[in-house]
Amino acid sequence: SKERTLSIIKPDAVAKNVIGQIYQRFEDSGLKIVAAKMKQLSQAEAEGFYAVHSERPFFGDLVSFMTSGPVMIQVLEGDDAITKNRDIMGATNPKEAAAGTIRADFAESIDANAVHGSDAPETAAQEIAYFFSSIELN
Ligand code: CMP
């Protein structure tokens, strides 16, 4: 069924100048970009977004990486958008990501892994609301 998911193109992929190539993959898989913004996250914004990971050993590195440069944030819509986006992203660790996935093709490490995507309907709703107000969403 039709869903929405939150996607972030992380600072590594923005710096590599591959926003367009990643957008092409969203579109080729049938996902529609229904809202988007480029943003430099503050430390507080990154900490809040990743609050679920706050007790993990990689939290500090994750927050400093996500604030190291601008990110491109978008809402993707389509049939099974959450799973579809996770499929085209590939595994969190690019070394384990299947050939042809975004992370296999554009990511360097588990930290600099090019993209984020919501993992479930509840987190998708939460993450979309974290970055977009209702007037920005059609
Ligand atoms: P993301 O989908 O944005 O969600 C949390 C991020 O933490 C994840 O992608 C990785 O980039 C990063 N991360 C770093 N180390 C780990 C780890 N051991 N397990 C999961 N995520 C990690």
Coordinates of all heavy atoms in Angstrom, one line a residue, residues 10 50 53 56 58 62 92 103 110-113 115-117, ligand 1:
K10 N 23.3 11.8 3.4 CA 24.2 12.2 4.4 C 25.3 13.1 3.9 O 25.6 13.2 2.7 CB 24.7 11.0 5.1 CG 23.6 10.2 5.8 CD 24.2 9.0 6.7 CE 23.1 8.3 7.4 NZ 23.7 7.3 8.3
Y50 N 18.5 11.2 16.3 CA 19.1 9.9 16.6 C 18.9 9.5 18.0 O 19.7 8.7 18.5 CB 20.5 9.8 16.1 CG 20.7 9.6 14.6 CD1 21.3 10.6 13.8 CD2 20.2 8.5 14.0 CE1 21.5 10.4 12.5 CE2 20.4 8.3 12.6 CZ 21.0 9.2 11.9 OH 21.2 9.1 10.5
H53 N 19.4 6.1 19.5 CA 20.8 5.5 19.6 C 21.6 6.2 20.6 O 22.8 5.9 20.7 CB 21.5 5.7 18.2 CG 20.8 5.0 17.1 ND1 20.7 3.6 17.1 CD2 20.4 5.4 15.9 CE1 20.1 3.2 15.9 NE2 19.9 4.3 15.2
R56 N 24.2 4.1 22.5 CA 25.1 3.3 21.7 C 26.5 3.9 21.7 O 26.6 5.1 21.7 CB 24.6 3.1 20.2 CG 23.1 2.6 20.1 CD 22.9 1.2 20.4 NE 23.5 0.3 19.4 CZ 22.9 -0.1 18.3 NH1 21.7 0.4 18.0 NH2 23.5 -0.9 17.5
F58 N 28.5 4.3 19.3 CA 28.8 5.1 18.1 C 28.1 6.4 18.1 O 28.2 7.2 17.1 CB 28.5 4.3 16.8 CG 27.1 3.8 16.7 CD1 26.1 4.6 16.2 CD2 26.8 2.4 17.0 CE1 24.8 4.1 16.1 CE2 25.5 2.0 16.9 CZ 24.5 2.8 16.5
L62 N 28.4 9.4 15.3 CA 27.3 9.6 14.4 C 26.8 11.0 14.4 O 26.6 11.6 13.3 CB 26.1 8.7 14.9 CG 24.8 8.8 14.2 CD1 24.9 8.4 12.7 CD2 23.7 7.8 14.9
T92 N 23.3 -1.4 6.1 CA 23.9 -0.3 6.9 C 25.4 -0.2 6.7 O 25.9 0.9 6.4 CB 23.6 -0.4 8.4 OG1 22.2 -0.5 8.5 CG2 24.1 0.8 9.2
R103 N 24.3 2.2 -1.1 CA 25.5 2.1 -0.2 C 26.6 1.4 -0.8 O 27.8 1.7 -0.6 CB 25.1 1.5 1.2 CG 24.3 2.6 2.0 CD 23.6 1.9 3.2 NE 23.1 2.9 4.1 CZ 22.1 2.6 5.0 NH1 21.5 1.4 5.0 NH2 21.6 3.5 5.8
I110 N 30.6 2.3 7.7 CA 29.3 2.3 8.4 C 28.9 3.6 8.9 O 27.7 3.9 9.0 CB 29.4 1.2 9.5 CG1 28.0 0.8 10.0 CG2 30.3 1.6 10.6 CD1 27.9 -0.4 10.8
D111 N 29.8 4.5 9.1 CA 29.5 5.9 9.5 C 29.1 6.7 8.3 O 28.0 7.3 8.3 CB 30.6 6.5 10.3 CG 30.9 5.8 11.6 OD1 30.0 5.8 12.5 OD2 31.9 5.2 11.8
A112 N 30.0 6.8 7.4 CA 29.8 7.6 6.1 C 29.1 6.6 5.2 O 29.7 6.1 4.2 CB 31.1 8.1 5.6
N113 N 27.8 6.4 5.4 CA 27.1 5.4 4.6 C 26.0 5.9 3.7 O 25.0 5.3 3.4 CB 26.5 4.2 5.5 CG 25.4 4.7 6.4 OD1 25.2 5.9 6.6 ND2 24.7 3.7 7.0
V115 N 23.3 7.3 3.0 CA 21.8 7.6 3.2 C 21.3 7.0 4.5 O 21.9 6.1 5.1 CB 21.0 6.9 2.0 CG1 21.1 7.8 0.8 CG2 21.5 5.5 1.7
H116 N 20.2 7.6 4.9 CA 19.4 7.1 6.0 C 18.0 6.8 5.5 O 17.5 7.6 4.6 CB 19.3 8.1 7.2 CG 18.3 7.7 8.2 ND1 18.5 6.8 9.2 CD2 17.0 8.1 8.3 CE1 17.3 6.7 9.9 NE2 16.4 7.5 9.3
G117 N 17.3 5.8 6.0 CA 15.9 5.6 5.6 C 15.2 5.1 6.9 O 15.7 4.3 7.6
Ligands
CMP1 P1 21.4 5.2 10.0 O1 20.4 4.4 9.2 O2 21.4 6.6 9.7 O3 21.0 5.0 11.5 C1 22.0 5.1 12.5 C2 23.4 5.2 12.0 O4 24.5 4.9 12.9 C3 23.6 4.2 10.9 O5 22.8 4.6 9.7 C4 25.1 4.2 10.7 O6 25.6 5.2 9.8 C5 25.6 4.6 12.1 N1 26.3 3.5 12.8 C6 27.6 3.5 13.1 N2 28.0 2.4 13.7 C7 26.9 1.6 13.7 C8 26.6 0.3 14.2 N3 27.6 -0.5 14.8 N4 25.4 -0.2 14.0 C9 24.4 0.5 13.4 N5 24.6 1.8 13.0 C10 25.8 2.3 13.1

